[in-house]
């Protein structure tokens, strides 16, 4: 409830904020933007609910923020986009971030001409000194901007324009669209771009100082308009798909991995439990007139904070909201109210306390006050001071009792919840499996614990070997000896050939049509080539790695503790990718159920 209310407040702030703060036309010379810091968009952890297909029913339980759309280069409230505000929603599932943008707008679509269709873009801050205004704000010209002269001004942009994009179809979602060193999709309408200023903008993987193959188009997207009816997913290629000018709303859906393979500051990297900065822009052919590049609306004149809420912290918050806590809080409040009533109704001798209480009473709704005063009529004739002191002692004692009791109940709640979520995981698996093979392993590290699901079906021998190693306690004290940001963390023996060395020079042998399903982040694997003396090393990927299964035997995936993996990934390392402060595995526990 409290969270809902806070969220409603945030939405209100978001709605009121930009209008209230953007001054009207005065500053035609210097750019001026007073942006509130209170505006935040929250990406909650909600796995498995979103499909990127332009149909937004799957977003109905996700809270959003509404923003007025003002001309980006002339943020005058009188020139606000007249058909309505933009609703922005975001969630993540521990691997991917999902965004939904909804704008009212009569149907406008001209095939092959993007400027006569609506268009949207998302921009994210990468460099710490990158401004939203002027796409990073680097003070260099097109000939002098490089990744050195503009260091710190990097922004990441996703732009989706509709000219040839069929409604309801997924763009950017196949290996051809996502080929290395090319930030655009096959149709050129869903592009992954980075910039330092409006003149220095490049497709991911390309730039003034060379083409780099680790960057690519990491986005997937789809669009829809509410006046369209046929959502077969295979609409005929004729246009327009509905008649011009029909009332309705445009929907845009996008997804992107939280982490990408980019290591040249071309992609923003999202961290669970932390905030990123974003803004959104919208182009619309007002009165059928084509728009041009800089004539877009924007939801804010400055960055908006985007919080990636940790899934792990959800149950804690739920537990805090349990009836027990409400009861504790209520009884405490009731005690204070009763205490105040006693003084309030009694004589005015305790002036100081009395005025404090009046303050408290004034904040309680009149009806509540009335009810309370009915119950508490006619205080006894015992000295009020004595009454108050004894009352206070009892209240404090009761509160301590409640607090310790709550501590215990919450502990058991927790265990119960964990059991429940384990059962859910089991159900989602569906197929009956042998009871005696552990399905999960909890890897305790000095940073926290990581829960992995084991792919017994896919890699039985490797899982068996892993289980035997666990039972022999071989992982106790194993160190993460190689930590490569946006790539992989590796525990175990790294001082032998064939492990990470050739990974870091990857790209050469990359087969661009590799359709391996397991090139995702947070996969668990071990080296294919084992050293003579045996040994079992562990890899956890932190970004999608296209040729993953060529490198390692994947035998599981992280299902809880992604944030711990990211925490390990963030530590300082030396030039051999070895963490400066050792991080070790304390214990690996096998589990049949969670
Ligand atoms: C950002 O600006 C500050 C102050 O001008 C500077 O000290 C810092 O080095 C800059 N950061 C980057 C990454 O360039
Ligand atoms: C700049 O780009 C070049 C080529 O893409 C790359 O080799 C170099 O490491 C980059 N420098 C920085 C500071 O990112
Ligand atoms: C990068 O690739 C693009 C497209 O293939 C090409 O036009 C450009 O010249 C390349 N840039 C460099 C510096 O190699
Ligand atoms: C592993 O970590 C979890 C939570 O961090 C803790 O409850 C558990 O006792 C730990 N297990 C071992 C064997 O250290």
């Amino acid at each position: 409830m409290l969270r809902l209310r806070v969220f409603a407040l945030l939405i209100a702030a978001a709605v009121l904020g930009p209008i209230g703060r953007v001054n009207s036309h005065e500053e035609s010379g210097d750019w001026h933007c007073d942006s509130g810091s209170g505006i935040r968009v929250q990406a909650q952890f909600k796995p498995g609910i979103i499909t990127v297909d332009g149909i937004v029913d799957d977003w109905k339980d996700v809270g959003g923020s509404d923003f007025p759309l003002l001309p980006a280069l002339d943020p005058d409230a009188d020139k606000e986009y007249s058909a309505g505000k933009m609703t922005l929603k975001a969630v993540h599932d521990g691997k991917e971030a999902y965004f939904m943008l909804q704008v009212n707008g009569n149907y406008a679509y001209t095939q092959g001409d993007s400027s006569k269709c609506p268009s949207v873009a998302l921009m994210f801050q990468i460099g710490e000194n990158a401004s939203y205004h002027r796409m990073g704000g680097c003070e260099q010209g097109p000939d002098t901007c490089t990744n050195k002269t503009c260091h710190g001004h990097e922004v990441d942009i996703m732009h989706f324009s509709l000219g040839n994009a069929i409604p309801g179809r997924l763009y950017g979602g196949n290996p051809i669209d996502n080929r290395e060193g090319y930030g655009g999709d096959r149709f050129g309408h869903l592009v992954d771009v980075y910039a330092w200023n409006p003149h220095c903008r490049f497709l991911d993987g390309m730039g003034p100082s060379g083409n780099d193959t680790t960057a690519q188009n990491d986005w997937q997207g789809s669009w829809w308009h509410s006046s369209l009816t046929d959502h077969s997913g295979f609409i005929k290629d004729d246009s327009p798909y509905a008649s011009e000018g029909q009332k309705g709303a445009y929907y845009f859906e996008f997804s992107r991995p939280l982490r990408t393979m980019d290591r040249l500051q071309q992609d923003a990297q999202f961290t669970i439990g932390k905030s990123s900065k974003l803004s959104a822009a919208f182009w619309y052919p007002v009165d059928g007139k084509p728009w041009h590049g800089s004539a877009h609306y924007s939801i804010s004149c400055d960055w908006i904070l985007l919080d990636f809420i940790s899934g792990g912290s959800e149950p804690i918050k739920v537990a805090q909201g349990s009836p027990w806590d409400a009861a504790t809080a209520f009884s405490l409040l009731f005690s204070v109210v009763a205490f105040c009533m006693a003084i309030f109704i009694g004589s005015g001798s305790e002036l100081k306390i009395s005025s404090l209480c009046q303050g408290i009473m004034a904040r309680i709704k009149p009806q509540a006050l009335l009810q309370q005063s009915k119950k508490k009529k006619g205080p006894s004739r015992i000295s009020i001071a004595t009454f108050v002191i004894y009352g206070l002692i009892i209240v404090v004692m009761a509160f301590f009792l409640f607090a310790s009791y709550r501590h215990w109940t919450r502990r058991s709640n927790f265990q119960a919840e964990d059991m429940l979520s384990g059962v859910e995981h089991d159900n989602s698996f569906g197929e009956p499996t042998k009871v005696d093979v552990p399905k999960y392993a909890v890897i305790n590290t000095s940073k926290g614990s990581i829960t992995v699901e084991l792919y017994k079906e896919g890699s039985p021998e490797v899982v068996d070997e892993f289980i035997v190693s666990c039972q022999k306690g071989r992982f106790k004290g194993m160190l993460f000896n190689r930590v490569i940001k946006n790539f992989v963390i590796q525990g175990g023996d790294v001082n032998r050939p064939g492990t990470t060395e050739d990974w870091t020079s990857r790209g050469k042998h990359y087969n661009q049509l590799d359709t391996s399903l397991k090139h995702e982040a947070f996969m668990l694997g071990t080296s294919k080539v084992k050293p003579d003396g045996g040994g079992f090393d562990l890899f956890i990927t932190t970004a999608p790695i296209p040729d993953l299964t060529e490198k390692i035997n994947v035998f599981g995936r992280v299902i809880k503790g992604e944030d711990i993996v990211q925490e390990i990934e963030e530590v300082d390392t030396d030039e051999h990718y070895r963490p400066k402060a050792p991080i070790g595995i304390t214990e690996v526990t096998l589990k049949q159920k969670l």
Side-chain angles (χ1 to χ4, degrees):
M1 278 307 283
L2 184 68
R3 277 165 99 211
L4 266 182
R5 242 173 270 151
V6 170
F7 196 61
L9 271 178
L10 289 176
I11 292 175
V15 172
L16 298 174
I19 301 179
R21 287 188 209 94
V22 176
N23 294 333
S24 58
H25 219 76
E26 296 147 11
E27 72 288 342
S28 41
D30 280 338
W31 171 258
H32 176 77
C33 170
D34 283 328
S35 160
S37 52
I39 311 168
R40 302 181 92 100
V41 173
Q42 300 212 308
Q44 301 281 351
F45 174 70
K46 286 182 189 286
I49 62 164
I50 305 299
T51 313
V52 181
D53 55 4
I55 300 300
V56 296
D57 298 347
D58 45 3
W59 286 89
K60 65 180 189 305
D61 296 331
V62 179
S65 309
D66 292 336
F67 296 93
L69 288 161
L70 298 180
L73 298 185
D74 187 13
D76 184 341
D78 296 340
K79 295 186 181 151
E80 186 179 336
Y81 173 70
S82 59
K85 302 195 187 322
M86 175 182 276
T87 303
L88 176 61
K89 296 185 178 185
V91 295
H92 73 92
D93 64 3
K95 287 186 189 128
E96 299 272 323
Y98 298 87
F99 298 89
M100 196 280 284
L101 282 62
Q102 177 177 342
V103 199
N104 283 340
N106 294 350
Y107 189 71
Y109 187 87
T110 304
Q111 189 174 35
D113 189 348
S114 286
S115 66
K116 290 186 184 164
C117 306
S119 186
V120 287
L122 291 173
M123 195 192 289
F124 300 89
Q125 187 187 47
I126 306 174
E128 58 172 326
N129 294 338
S131 57
Y132 172 59
H133 183 55
R134 290 188 41 80
M135 290 186 192
C138 176
E139 305 278 345
Q140 298 282 330
D143 300 330
T144 53
C145 59
T146 66
N147 62 359
K148 288 186 184 64
T149 58
C150 287
H151 182 63
H153 292 278
E154 302 84 358
V155 296
D156 182 12
I157 302 169
M158 183 280 317
H159 190 122
F160 189 44
S161 45
L162 303 190
N164 281 315
I166 295 164
R169 202 169 280 183
L170 183 68
Y171 288 89
N174 61 59
I176 301 169
D177 293 348
N178 286 332
R179 71 180 183 264
E180 285 179 298
Y182 186 65
D185 80 309
R186 190 155 35 132
F187 305 89
H189 294 307
L190 175 71
V191 292
D192 196 345
V193 179
Y194 68 101
W196 298 302
N197 66 42
H199 309 292
C200 302
R201 239 186 312 171
F202 306 93
L203 283 174
D204 275 21
M206 294 180 191
S209 49
N211 292 341
D212 169 72
T213 51
T214 61
Q216 59 184 8
N217 173 31
D218 293 290
W219 286 94
Q220 304 198 341
S222 190
W223 74 279
W224 193 253
H225 187 267
S226 58
S227 70
L228 301 174
T229 47
D230 178 13
H231 192 254
S232 64
F234 201 76
I235 284 183
K236 269 194 251 123
D237 261 294
D238 52 4
S239 137
Y241 304 103
S243 37
E244 278 298 292
Q246 279 207 66
K247 283 206 184 330
Y250 275 97
Y251 306 118
F252 304 89
E253 272 187 293
F254 302 102
S255 71
R256 206 209 78 171
L258 295 173
R259 295 299 177 106
T260 72
M261 284 174 38
D262 162 54
R263 283 188 276 145
L264 291 170
Q265 300 279 70
Q266 299 182 352
D267 285 330
Q269 303 297 336
F270 304 134
T271 304
I272 301 164
K274 296 221 169 109
S275 301
S276 292
K277 290 179 179 175
L278 94 164
S279 192
F282 179 61
W283 289 256
Y284 188 79
V286 177
D287 303 324
K289 292 192 209 97
W291 48 259
H292 61 90
S294 57
H296 56 281
Y297 297 98
S298 183
I299 62 171
S300 169
C301 60
D302 201 352
W303 297 117
I304 289 165
L305 284 172
L306 165 67
D307 302 327
F308 286 92
I309 310 292
S310 159
S313 64
E314 285 272 281
I316 299 171
K317 282 180 184 157
V318 169
Q320 275 170 351
S322 74
W324 248 108
D325 282 32
T328 313
F330 185 75
S331 63
L332 185 64
L333 180 71
F334 189 86
S335 312
V336 171
V337 169
F339 167 64
C340 288
M341 284 309 293
I343 297 163
F344 199 62
I345 293 166
S347 78
S349 59
E350 306 276 345
L351 260 183
K352 271 190 196 159
I353 302 177
S354 195
S355 62
L356 176 102
C357 284
Q358 272 168 354
I360 295 173
M361 299 301 283
R363 269 158 226 216
I364 296 171
K365 284 187 182 132
Q367 287 100 321
L369 190 75
L370 212 66
Q371 278 175 7
Q372 301 295 348
S373 60
K374 271 182 199 157
K375 281 183 200 159
K376 283 277 165 182
K377 246 178 211 170
S380 68
R381 286 198 200 109
I382 314 163
S383 150
I384 283 164
T386 320
F387 179 76
V388 161
I389 288 164
Y390 280 103
L392 199 59
I393 290 169
I394 290 167
V395 164
V396 168
M397 278 172 62
F399 181 65
F400 274 114
L401 278 174
F402 275 141
S404 49
Y405 185 65
R406 193 185 62 176
H407 186 72
W408 281 98
T409 45
R410 192 189 291 168
R411 275 190 162 187
S412 48
N413 265 1
F414 238 68
Q415 278 152 9
E417 251 173 54
D418 276 357
M419 299 278 277
L420 272 177
S421 63
V423 171
E424 271 167 35
H425 282 300
D426 276 357
N427 286 348
S428 71
F429 238 57
E431 298 193 6
T433 44
K434 280 182 218 142
V435 254
D436 49 331
V437 181
K439 272 192 195 150
Y440 306 95
V442 180
I443 304 173
N444 276 22
T445 74
S446 40
K447 295 263 179 198
S449 66
I450 301 164
T451 306
V452 295
E453 180 187 70
L454 302 173
Y455 287 159
K456 176 69 181 165
E457 250 76 311
S459 327
E461 297 91 340
V462 185
V463 170
D464 282 343
E465 208 187 330
F466 174 75
I467 289 170
V468 169
S469 299
C470 283
Q471 285 160 348
K472 292 187 177 162
R474 288 203 184 128
F475 298 114
K476 253 182 217 169
M478 179 186 265
L479 294 179
F480 285 99
N481 279 326
R482 205 154 269 161
V483 171
I484 307 178
K485 217 174 156 182
N486 298 333
F487 192 40
V488 73
I489 63 176
Q490 183 194 356
D493 182 12
V494 294
N495 295 323
R496 56 189 158 86
T499 54
T500 344
E501 256 79 19
D502 60 341
W503 287 45
T504 43
S505 62
R506 75 192 187 285
K508 287 175 203 149
H509 314 292
Y510 172 50
N511 170 6
Q512 85 181 19
L513 289 177
D514 178 13
T515 51
S516 158
L517 292 172
K518 289 181 180 172
H519 71 253
E520 300 161 30
F522 302 116
M523 304 305 288
L524 175 73
T526 184
S527 296
K528 285 199 163 166
V529 186
K530 295 290 167 201
D532 294 336
F536 197 98
D537 57 359
L538 294 177
F539 287 88
I540 299 175
T541 62
T542 61
I545 295 167
D547 48 355
L548 182 63
T549 45
E550 277 170 41
K551 305 283 189 192
I552 60 177
N553 283 317
V554 173
F555 67 93
R557 96 191 146 94
V558 177
I559 55 169
K560 204 164 160 191
E562 286 96 341
D563 48 343
I564 303 299
V565 176
Q566 289 188 340
E567 216 177 302
I568 296 173
E569 182 194 11
E570 293 289 338
V571 300
D572 282 338
T573 59
D574 63 21
E575 68 272 29
H576 303 297
Y577 302 105
R578 201 178 276 270
K580 287 182 178 159
I583 308 159
I585 294 176
T586 48
E587 175 86 280
V588 178
T589 323
L590 296 168
K591 297 211 165 177
Q592 183 55 39
K593 278 189 173 160
L594 286 182

